[in-house]
Every structure is written in structure tokens, then in C-alpha cells.
Amino acid sequence: MLTSLFFLLLFSFGHALLPLVINTWPFKDATAAAWSTLQSGGSVLDAVEKGCARCEVDQCDGSVGYGGSPDESGESTLDAMIMNGDTMEVGAIADLRRIKNAIGVARAVMEHTHHTLLVGESASLFAENMGFIAEDLATNKSMNIFTQWLKGNCQPNYRKNVFPNPSKYCGPYKPTLRQSTTQRHIDIHCHDTIGMIAMGADGGVAAGTSTNGANHKIPGRVGDSPIAGAGAYADSTAGGAAATGDGDVMMRFLPSFLAVELMRAGVDPSSACKTTISRIKRHYPEFFGAIICANTTGHYGAACNKLPGFSQFHYMVSDSQSNTPLLKSVDCF
């Protein structure tokens, strides 16, 4: 009786039988694509690539894939990464243009180069040489977002300590010695990166991300998503983690690496996620962000920073118990 009760409790609090897929936000179709890949005999890398690619095609929440988050010049650019927890190999791209399948290009970097990260126009040329099709990433929706932003005097933006006053005017901007006291408006809907962790029945772990970055970002900006240890991290001897939110803040703390190292030390995934968010909160109490964590025993968890309008974080899980994507949530703190 006690043994049965123990296992009932164990499976009630963030535990899944391997294999396992877990990803940020309620992107159900992405979870289903990754899970189907695992079930059909694909590797954990295949699962992460297929799951993130599905979000790219679906333009999940407007923050993944083409046609979203135009920068200050109106262009949509993409960031992505994928990591093999068995070999510790990483492939990543940033500021990618003209290519819709960002996660596919990231995997090509890992499998066809000795590099880890390619950026900008050179990354796009690499992708074209690898056979990826060049296409316009703009859509009527993204161009309308950009037009309305211009009409609204380029508000909000990511400038500070410049002239003219970035809280009132568009650029071009020049540096000024006067320190700005303007607080940037936090948009909780402009950083919804898909971060995904996949674990195989053999315990292998892979993780990946895909995003079109922050809305109205300064051209050339690279956030946390394509940075190993920041956007995501995988180590088959410890687990995996993936972050989402304000990448300009979160990348400074390597949250995914920290969470995996905490799990390596024996901390359960939920506590590892919470400790990681707490580390960032000490310096930036009003940052927007969340993280998912999973260890090699199949336990998983998540944590998020509480803000007005953001008190609960939703994420997806698929495992052999449910055999279908399940929506999970965690209260922010």
C-alpha cells in the first residue's frame, strides 16, 4: 500500500516516463510533431528540429518564424540553436535573413561545420549553399506592425542615452552624455521563443530554440535564444533546460546552463528552475521570463517571474503516460 502511494505521488508532481518532450508556451502542434518523431524512431535531435520547425511554419504566437517581430528597419530576422546532449555539439544561427527554416540551418551548422554560431548575411549565404530556399520573410502583418510603429513615433524601442529623445521620437539617433531616466515598457507578448527539450528512452537529451527575436529590435541584435547555456542547454548526464523571455537580460545569467548544473548537483527540476529565476530577479526584479527544466530521470518543472498580466506560465509536455501533448502551468513568483 505504501509503495503504491509513493509511486502515485511520484507521478503526480512533474514526473514522466521517458521518452519525454517538453517545450515553452502552449505550442501544442510543435509538441505533437516532436513526440511523433520520437515515436516513429527519430532521434532526440530529430524531435527538437521537427518540433521547432513546426512552430516556424505555424508562426507560433507571431514570435517564432517568418513574418513576425520586425526590427527598426522593418525586417524580420531569425535566431535558432540546437544542442546534442550526448556529444555537447551545438549549432546556432542569429540574425538570419531570407531563410524560413532557422532550426534546420542551426542543425546544418552543427553537422556540416566545425563552428558553433553563424550570424547575419554570412549565415544566410551558408544556408543557401546548404540547399535552403531563400524567401522573403516579410508578410502583410509584419509590414503593418512596422508601419504602425513608425506612425507611433517608433514606440516602444530599445534606445537609451541618445538624441533625439527615444521615448518621443524616431531616429536616426546620436549618443548623448545625458543619462536617460525613461523606463522601457515591458511587452510580455514579444518574447515568446519556443524552447524545447527532448529525451529518448535511452536517456539521450537534446534541446533547441527558435525565435524571430524582440519586436522593434535594433538591427543586428542577438538575444539569448541562439546562445548555448542561455536560450537552451542539454547534457545527457544531467538533463536539459530552455528559457524564454527578455533575452537581453536573461542571457547575462546563462540560465539554462545554471539550471542543468543545479540538476547535476541533485536539485530537482522545479527547484532548479526557481533558483535560476531567483538569481536573475536579484538584479532585475521586473524582468519578464520563464524557464523549463527536465532531468535524466524524467522529472520536469518550470518557473517564471511574476509581473502584472503575467502570473502563470504555460508549457507543454508529452510522454508515454499520456501519449498526447498536455498543457501544464506553473504559478509565477
Side-chain angles (χ1 to χ4, degrees), residues 226-278:
I227 307 301
Y233 198 74
D235 186 332
S236 298
T237 67
T244 181
D246 189 343
D248 291 297
V249 169
M250 297 183 74
M251 68 191 300
R252 303 168 192 175
F253 298 86
L254 295 177
S256 295
F257 176 77
L258 173 59
V260 170
E261 289 306 299
L262 287 168
M263 290 187 289
R264 186 193 308 282
V267 178
D268 70 88
S270 293
S271 296
C273 282
K274 191 169 184 179
T275 297
T276 298
I277 293 295
S278 295

Side-chain angles (χ1 to χ4, degrees), residues 43 110 138 193 197 275 291 306 311 314:
S43 69
M110 181 176 69
T193 305
I197 306 162
T275 297
I291 188 169
K306 188 175 183 179
S311 60
H314 299 283

Side-chain angles (χ1 to χ4, degrees), residues 65-68 76-78 96-100 135-139 142:
Y66 68 101
S76 290
T77 59
L78 309 180
L96 182 72
R97 302 162 187 180
R98 302 190 304 278
I99 309 296
K100 290 183 176 180
E135 303 175 78
D136 188 356
L137 300 187
T139 61
S142 67

Side-chain angles (χ1 to χ4, degrees), residues 133-151:
I133 299 172
E135 303 175 78
D136 188 356
L137 300 187
T139 61
N140 290 337
K141 180 179 179 180
S142 67
M143 294 313 298
N144 183 60
I145 291 172
F146 177 60
T147 299
Q148 294 303 313
W149 181 71
L150 290 177
K151 289 180 178 179

